[in-house]
Structures are given as structure tokens and as C-alpha cells.
Amino acid sequence: VVETVDTVATTRWLTLNNIHYRDRFGRSRQWNAVSRTTKTDQEADAVVILPRLIKYGEETSVLLVKQFRPPVGAYTVELPAGLIDSKETAQDAALRELREETGYHGSVSMVGPATALSPGLTDETVKIVCVDVDLDDPRNANPVAQLDDGEDIEVEMVAQSKLLD
């Protein structure tokens, strides 16, 4: 049971907290965790998008993004993702983030439940949103990303059958 949460430090995007709690045996314990300063009472903080690229007569592909991630000091290949804006649904955030990061337009085929991907570090929750991208749609003929300042994203298409290779 969490008893108190003390803020240790805050930046524009993150807060480091020292959490005081009691374990199931009644022992007093402490834990350090990070929270987003943008956290609201929404069902989830962010979306992770699984974009399936579908073209008539061709194998389905998955769209991945490659970008530099300072915390790991390297480029990572990952699924597109982003924060859910205030008063925005996970579906709307997924479609917006996909357009911004890749230029592609799609339709939501499934939304998973809110889940914590790194609960030992942060209280951030995400929803995994599957988006079907119709490559026969004229809007997807020449996609142009609309990146925020500081974003450097390359788009990679991987055949679904080779995704785990």
C-alpha cells in the first residue's frame, strides 16, 4: 500500500518520485519511480501503434520507425508511438501520431487495454493500437511525415513474415 510520494526532482517532461509504501508483510519500503509531467486521469498516457501495410495482391508488411534515443545512446527500431493529448482518444492519438511520424493514413482495427510496459521504472501506461494502412489509398501514395522539432525518424517497412527475423 502506497503511503506517501515525495518529489525528488522535476524537469519539463518528467518527475522523479520517492515512493514510501508497505509490502504485503507490513514492512515499510521505498521505491524510486519516474512519472510524466503530462500525466492526466485518462485511461492511458500514450499509444504504441502496430501499423499493418496492406496492398492488394502483396504480402502484408509492418511499418517500423528508426530514431535516435538519447537514454540508450543509440538508434532504435521500434513501433511508432506517442502521447495521448488531453481530451483525445487512444484511437485518435494513434492515427495522428502515425500521420505525423510516417505520413501514412490508416484506420483503427483494434485497441488493446491500458498496460504498463516498464512498471519497475514508471507509472506510464500505454494502449497498443492496431492500424490498417491501405497502400492502394491515394493518400498513402507519397507519404510525407510531419515531424516535431528535434524528431529525426526514418520509416522502415518489414514483411510481416520476416518481422521477428
Side-chain angles (χ1 to χ4, degrees), residues 107-160:
S107 60
V108 173
S109 59
M110 190 207 79
V111 179
T115 186
L117 296 180
S118 192
L121 173 67
T122 180
D123 60 355
E124 178 185 61
T125 56
V126 303
K127 283 192 169 192
I128 297 173
V129 181
C130 296
V131 175
D132 291 339
V133 176
D134 179 1
L135 293 180
D136 294 312
D137 183 331
R139 296 177 301 168
N140 293 321
N142 297 299
V144 177
Q146 299 167 10
L147 301 176
D148 291 332
D149 184 42
E151 285 185 313
D152 179 17
I153 295 175
E154 295 177 35
V155 175
E156 298 185 11
M157 292 183 197
V158 178
Q160 191 169 296

Side-chain angles (χ1 to χ4, degrees), residues 6-17 33-38:
D6 300 323
T7 298
V8 176
T10 300
T11 67
R12 178 178 176 197
W13 298 108
L14 301 173
T15 299
L16 174 62
N17 294 313
V34 176
S35 289
R36 290 192 176 277
T37 58
T38 55

Side-chain angles (χ1 to χ4, degrees), residues 64-83:
L64 302 173
V65 293
K66 179 180 177 181
Q67 59 186 318
F68 184 76
R69 292 297 197 176
V72 295
Y75 282 88
T76 62
V77 177
E78 57 195 69
L79 294 168
L83 296 175

Side-chain angles (χ1 to χ4, degrees), residues 9-130:
T10 300
T11 67
R12 178 178 176 197
W13 298 108
L14 301 173
T15 299
L16 174 62
N17 294 313
N18 189 25
I19 302 168
H20 302 270
Y21 71 101
R22 290 204 179 272
D23 67 16
R24 66 184 178 125
F25 303 108
R27 291 183 293 237
S28 183
R29 303 219 179 251
Q30 291 185 46
W31 194 274
N32 295 122
V34 176
S35 289
R36 290 192 176 277
T37 58
T38 55
K39 193 164 186 65
T40 66
D41 60 357
Q42 294 184 126
E43 196 171 339
D45 304 305
V47 290
V48 174
I49 308 152
L50 178 59
R52 295 177 345 120
L53 304 177
I54 301 166
K55 185 167 182 65
Y56 182 77
E58 295 183 12
E59 180 180 1
T60 298
S61 294
V62 174
L63 192 66
L64 302 173
V65 293
K66 179 180 177 181
Q67 59 186 318
F68 184 76
R69 292 297 197 176
V72 295
Y75 282 88
T76 62
V77 177
E78 57 195 69
L79 294 168
L83 296 175
I84 301 172
D85 290 341
S86 177
K87 297 183 180 156
E88 186 177 45
T89 66
Q91 294 91 322
D92 291 339
L95 296 174
R96 174 184 52 77
E97 286 288 347
L98 184 65
R99 278 191 315 273
E100 289 175 3
E101 292 188 1
T102 71
Y104 283 100
H105 295 260
S107 60
V108 173
S109 59
M110 190 207 79
V111 179
T115 186
L117 296 180
S118 192
L121 173 67
T122 180
D123 60 355
E124 178 185 61
T125 56
V126 303
K127 283 192 169 192
I128 297 173
V129 181
C130 296

